[in-house]
Structure formats: C-alpha cells, structure tokens
Amino acid sequence: MDAALKARLSRIRHVALDMDGTLYLGSRLFPFTKGFLETLRRLGIGYSFLTNNPTRSVADYLKKLSGMGIEATEENMYTTSLAAIDYIRKTWPAAKRLFILGTPSMVSQFEKAGFEQLPDDPGAVPDVLVVSFDMTLTYDRLCRAAWWAKQGIPYVATNPDRVCPTEHETVLVDCGSIQKCIEHATGRAADIVLGKPDPTMLFGIMDKHGLAPDELAMVGDRVYTDTLSAHNAGALGVLVLSGETTRETGESAPVPPDLIAENVQEFGQWLEQSRQ
C-alpha cells in the first residue's frame, strides 16, 4: 500500500455500506460480511447500512439483518424511503397526503412518519406523488400515478435503479424503469430522483455523525449508483466485485471508483493496514 492511499484510508471514520450485492445477495449472506463488520468495530470505525431499495421499512430491514445474524439498530439504517420522507418534510412542510407507488412495508414507513396514503381516486388529490420500487404494483395505480404526474403534482422518485439484483431467474423491474414508463406516457419526469448517485443520503450521514467528506467511505457493487454517489459527495468511493460489476467495467467507468476491492473483506484489510 503506497503512502498516499494509506494516509487517505487512515482518515476514514465511518463507512456507508450498500447492502444487496455488497453484504449479501438476495437472502444469502456473504461469508466475509460478519468478519468485516467486526473489523470496523475493532478499529473504532462507525458504519451505516445504506440502500436504494425502499421496498422494506426500517423495521423489516432490521428483521432481515437480524435473521442473517447481523445486529443493527435504527441508527445504523438509512433507506431511500427515509431520504424521501426527509426531502418532503424539508421541501413541502405542509404536505401530508401522498399518492405512493410502493410496497405495503414502504407505505408503513411513511405512515409512521405521519403521512397518509391516498386511494386510487381522481377526487383524492395528493400533495405529493411518490414513485418507488413497487413489487405490488397494479396497472390501475400506475395509471393513476401517471395522471397525477400529468397534472403537475410535486413528484418525488425514491431511486434511479433500473433493476434490482436477484439470485432468481427473473428481472426485477425497479423504480428507474417505472419512472421511464410514466415519463414516456406523460412527458413528465420526476422533480427529483433520490437515492444513489444523488448525494443526499451521504450528506445526511455526514451531518448526523459530524464527518468531513474525506472521513467517509461509500462501499458498494455499482459504479453508477454507489461509487458515483461518493464522488458527488466528495467521499471515498469503493467498488466491490461481489455484486453486478466487473473490474473492467469499474476501471472504464466515466467516473471510476477511487478503489476497487474483491469484496468488503479486502477493503477491511486495507483499513486495518492503514492503522498500523
């Protein structure tokens, strides 16, 4: 490890961790994940679980992690649902009535925050339209979402992902593709697309933990969301090859990652060496 890299890694105080493709794939925990988290704890480096997948509430994500043997609290979690809630509160503080394309678990997160999910009714006009990765999507609600987009209702999308990673033999159509459907039908794009590579979530972590950009690393398996968000926030972007991206793709990306590791275990070893 050269001196410049060692110095840069030695400044890292907190790691933002993508989940699917980085710590696990679908329902399969990678064998190196627990050891990596233990390394972070031993080095006194904090960590947050960051995901563009809004289909689960924080409570459901914590339950999934616990089932894999990973203990975490709400303090460790930041999802695009939470990012959307924070953005709506800041941008439209009087907004309460939402039309949401999202799973029941995700909707419960918004309801916990004090928002109301509106029915598919042209008379129930929402304050904000929220479009997300919705595996329970029905054609009628898709059409109603397009209608509200066409009417000029404030429109927030939770994440730009075209597909969601899966170990199953199928394509999981994600929020980015649902947005394109609405845009093609109406000519209206979302007013803002949250989630990586938008740096909002990383800025939130910096504010929460009192971090400078060079004290935060963003680790994930995608260059167009994970490491690009790090670049946009001024943080260290670490690509791991345990998910969908190859080394060749990472190295040839328009904005390449700062580091490429085989997996989080290798990144943990580099952090450890930087402290020696």
Side-chain angles (χ1 to χ4, degrees), residues 23-230:
L23 303 177
Y24 56 76
L25 186 62
S27 58
R28 179 173 61 87
L29 184 72
F30 293 136
F32 42 74
T33 296
K34 290 183 182 179
F36 168 69
L37 296 177
E38 176 55 36
T39 296
L40 294 183
R41 288 190 290 267
R42 181 161 38 82
L43 296 176
I45 297 173
Y47 55 88
S48 299
F49 300 116
L50 206 67
T51 177
N52 268 13
N53 187 334
T55 57
R56 298 171 184 261
S57 67
V58 169
D60 283 345
Y61 267 118
L62 293 177
K63 183 177 179 181
K64 177 174 181 174
L65 290 172
S66 178
M68 293 180 171
I70 297 175
E71 294 304 317
T73 69
E74 289 191 10
E75 290 295 306
N76 297 116
M77 287 295 312
Y78 202 42
T79 70
T80 48
S81 293
L82 295 178
I85 288 168
D86 290 343
Y87 183 83
I88 292 169
R89 282 174 168 167
K90 181 179 180 180
T91 309
W92 305 285
K96 292 296 180 186
R97 293 156 55 89
L98 309 179
F99 189 85
I100 305 173
L101 293 188
T103 62
S105 181
M106 174 191 155
V107 170
S108 72
Q109 190 74 54
F110 279 81
E111 291 174 339
K112 181 181 178 182
F115 294 100
E116 176 189 357
Q117 161 74 305
L118 295 183
D120 177 7
D121 180 351
V125 181
D127 299 316
V128 181
L129 167 65
V130 179
V131 171
S132 186
F133 176 26
D134 186 3
M135 295 183 292
T136 62
L137 182 63
T138 64
Y139 183 71
D140 287 346
R141 289 192 67 82
L142 175 62
C143 292
R144 184 61 58 201
W147 172 252
W148 293 132
K150 191 173 182 180
Q151 304 314 302
I153 297 294
Y155 173 11
V156 174
T158 57
N159 58 294
D161 304 65
R162 298 183 296 270
V163 299
C164 180
T166 178
E167 73 267 39
H168 302 298
E169 295 178 339
T170 187
V171 174
L172 296 181
V173 176
D174 208 326
C175 180
S177 299
I178 296 173
Q179 291 169 58
K180 284 297 181 182
C181 177
I182 294 172
E183 182 178 354
H184 192 66
T186 67
R188 170 94 184 275
D191 298 328
I192 186 169
V193 181
L194 296 168
K196 302 165 290 184
D198 182 272
T200 300
M201 288 197 289
L202 294 184
F203 288 148
I205 288 174
M206 290 181 205
D207 290 342
K208 183 176 181 179
H209 296 284
L211 302 168
D214 67 351
E215 294 175 320
L216 177 67
M218 173 70 227
V219 183
D221 69 312
R222 291 176 168 181
V223 289
Y224 65 91
T225 56
D226 298 316
T227 61
L228 185 54
S229 70

